[in-house]
Amino acid sequence: MSEIKKDQNYSLEPDIIKKIEENYLIITPAGEFKEGVKGFIYWCEKNKLDPVKTAGEYVKTLAKYEAFKKDGLINGKQKFASTFEQISLDKVFYLDFYSIERFGKTKLGQLLLYAKQSQDRGMIKKLVENIAPKIAELIEKYQIDAVGFIPPTIKREIQFMRELQRGLALDLRILNIVKIKTPVIVPQKSLSNLADRIENAQKSIVVDDDGRYNNILLIDDAVGSGATINETAGQIKNRGLVQGKIIGLAITGSFKGFEVISEV
């Protein structure tokens, strides 16, 4: 294919433009934030792809993944059922897949990766703005009266989950969930074996709370195996902290069998 001329004008159908504007985001190697059609054309030109043809293919690929969404949520319960012998979560959702075939990380995947790696409060704020409405819907739908944030396993000056909690500013009881200090800190993402990830969660996550709640929402950033959020829910149930349901929510999850997402 001949090289695509940069800054060329491309004729895209209005419905395709709308889809790309809603869904596409790329952060360049230079740290530039390019959303929508502008970002998509940048990516196509960089990879010497015809933007018009590729835009149609992108929208078709999006449709494949969006088929898994209902009311803007992906139901992960079946994936958990095929992974764990015992599921402690009554329901589990994620807001989007971390990445899709050929086109790489989704908009939320990009925001999550760089918000955590750059420790940029501005980018964390942008991510919060993207996800807050859906979290509010879940809280209302399931009559949530307490929220737990899965604690991070990697020490950073600015902790994403803490900033997420602050940014959401939920007027609900926040469960005290802590990552206890072990002789050697082993991040979940460094473990590829499911049994190891379950053991890691069992030994390092503690729900230090004595409240009694009707329905609880547990929020995680990215679901890999799902071991941590499932084990946390198990502790909550074993301690009798919840009378109703525990709803799990991840910002992103993997498409293929909850394999480890090692980047975040």
Side-chain angles (χ1 to χ4, degrees):
M1 182 182 291
S2 60
E3 183 174 353
I4 302 297
K5 183 180 178 182
K6 292 189 177 183
D7 301 320
Q8 180 178 336
N9 291 322
Y10 302 103
S11 179
L12 299 174
E13 296 294 330
D15 57 334
I16 288 180
I17 290 174
K18 183 174 184 294
K19 276 290 184 184
I20 295 175
E21 287 293 332
E22 289 172 349
N23 291 280
Y24 196 80
L25 167 67
I26 187 169
I27 297 169
T28 74
E32 296 175 288
F33 201 88
K34 294 182 180 289
E35 288 189 271
V37 172
K38 180 179 179 182
F40 188 79
I41 290 176
Y42 163 84
W43 179 80
C44 288
E45 289 177 339
K46 185 175 181 179
N47 289 281
K48 299 180 174 60
L49 298 170
D50 177 357
V52 176
K53 178 175 181 291
T54 308
E57 294 165 349
Y58 173 67
V59 170
K60 287 181 180 178
T61 302
L62 276 182
K64 170 185 172 180
Y65 289 87
E66 286 177 349
F68 290 89
K69 293 183 181 179
K70 183 178 179 181
D71 298 327
L73 293 170
I74 299 162
N75 188 343
K77 190 69 181 288
Q78 186 175 344
K79 289 284 188 181
F80 271 60
S82 64
T83 304
F84 302 104
E85 292 183 5
Q86 181 175 347
I87 307 172
S88 297
L89 291 155
D90 294 285
K91 293 183 181 295
V92 56
F93 303 103
Y94 38 98
L95 298 175
D96 206 351
F97 295 112
Y98 179 67
S99 63
I100 61 175
E101 62 190 83
R102 185 184 177 190
F103 298 98
K105 287 182 284 295
T106 61
K107 185 174 184 177
L108 283 184
Q110 290 273 10
L111 285 171
L112 179 61
L113 172 63
Y114 288 99
K116 291 187 70 173
Q117 289 195 346
S118 68
Q119 302 180 62
D120 185 299
R121 285 192 171 94
M123 191 168 290
I124 295 172
K125 181 181 178 182
K126 188 171 183 66
L127 177 59
V128 170
E129 290 170 353
N130 272 266
I131 67 176
K134 190 56 64 177
I135 291 175
E137 286 179 23
L138 273 175
I139 288 171
E140 182 177 359
K141 180 176 181 178
Y142 291 102
Q143 299 182 326
I144 301 296
D145 58 351
V147 178
F149 292 85
I150 302 300
T153 59
I154 298 176
K155 186 176 181 180
R156 289 186 170 106
E157 184 177 345
I158 297 175
Q159 288 292 4
F160 172 78
M161 293 302 284
R162 192 174 298 123
E163 293 297 318
L164 177 63
Q165 178 182 335
R166 185 178 293 118
L168 289 171
L170 301 173
D171 187 22
L172 294 169
R173 175 70 181 267
I174 304 299
L175 274 70
N176 187 31
I177 305 172
V178 296
K179 177 81 173 178
I180 62 175
K181 187 174 181 180
T182 54
V184 177
I185 297 174
V186 181
Q188 273 271 330
K189 69 178 186 179
S190 68
L191 302 171
S192 57
N193 182 278
L194 177 61
D196 290 343
R197 291 172 72 86
I198 292 173
E199 180 182 351
N200 177 277
Q202 289 174 335
K203 302 288 186 181
S204 62
I205 296 290
V206 172
V207 180
D208 185 18
D209 200 286
D210 58 3
R212 293 295 181 269
Y213 309 105
N214 293 317
N215 299 296
I216 291 173
L217 176 65
L218 288 180
I219 300 177
D220 203 351
D221 50 15
V223 165
S225 68
T228 301
I229 195 169
N230 192 53
E231 288 299 318
T232 303
Q235 284 194 38
I236 291 170
K237 284 192 170 179
N238 291 337
R239 295 190 56 190
L241 304 183
V242 64
Q243 296 176 344
K245 297 181 182 298
I246 302 178
I247 311 300
L249 176 69
I251 297 172
T252 66
S254 84
F255 178 64
K256 294 182 180 179
F258 291 106
E259 76 272 25
V260 175
I261 302 173
S262 60
E263 290 180 304
V264 296

